[in-house]
């Protein structure tokens, strides 16, 4: 894994939302694995959105890169689907 963010789309809890998992290297070391959902209408309108517009469905801070795959699986995504954010239409 590089020192860049990686992401993958995931199945949302409703048809009215879109969802992604995001793996973020932390400046102090370790990683954050966060899955969130945003209203489909917000994304399709290409509108800016903020934390209050997101529903966090999975959030873990990990100290080791070795724990990322298991955390991503717990979020509902196959770790092999992770890639550069622009390859999965990641909105941030």
């Amino acid at each position: 894994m590089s020192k860049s963010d990686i992401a993958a789309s995931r199945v949302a809890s409703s048809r009215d939302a879109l969802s992604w998992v995001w793996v973020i290297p932390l400046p102090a070391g370790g990683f954050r694995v966060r899955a969130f959902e945003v209203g489909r209408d917000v994304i399709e309108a290409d509108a800016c959105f903020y934390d209050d517009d997101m529903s966090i469905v999975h959030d873990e801070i990990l100290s080791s890169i070795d724990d990322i795959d298991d955390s991503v699986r717990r979020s509902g995504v196959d770790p092999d689907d992770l890639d550069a954010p622009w390859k999965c239409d990641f909105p941030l």
Side-chain angles (χ1 to χ4, degrees):
M1 178 170 177
S2 71
K3 293 183 181 185
S4 299
D5 298 4
I6 54 176
S9 60
R10 62 184 295 279
V11 176
S13 63
S14 82
R15 294 171 47 136
D16 296 330
L18 295 171
S19 186
W20 292 267
V21 64
W22 186 17
V23 180
I24 310 156
L26 300 173
F31 302 88
R32 171 173 245 148
V33 176
R34 175 176 274 184
F36 65 94
E37 298 184 0
V38 177
R40 182 180 295 273
D41 57 335
V42 173
I43 299 296
E44 289 175 352
D46 200 25
C48 292
F49 63 92
Y50 305 92
D51 290 345
D52 290 345
D53 301 313
M54 294 187 283
S55 173
I56 306 300
V57 295
H58 178 88
D59 194 20
E60 288 186 81
I61 302 292
L62 309 170
S63 59
S64 172
I65 196 169
D66 297 330
D67 298 327
I68 291 174
D69 284 358
D70 287 337
S71 180
V72 168
R73 282 187 199 96
R74 284 191 292 275
S75 79
V77 172
D78 183 336
D80 290 337
D81 292 342
L82 292 168
D83 206 336
W86 60 87
K87 292 189 177 182
C88 66
D89 294 326
F90 189 73
L92 300 177

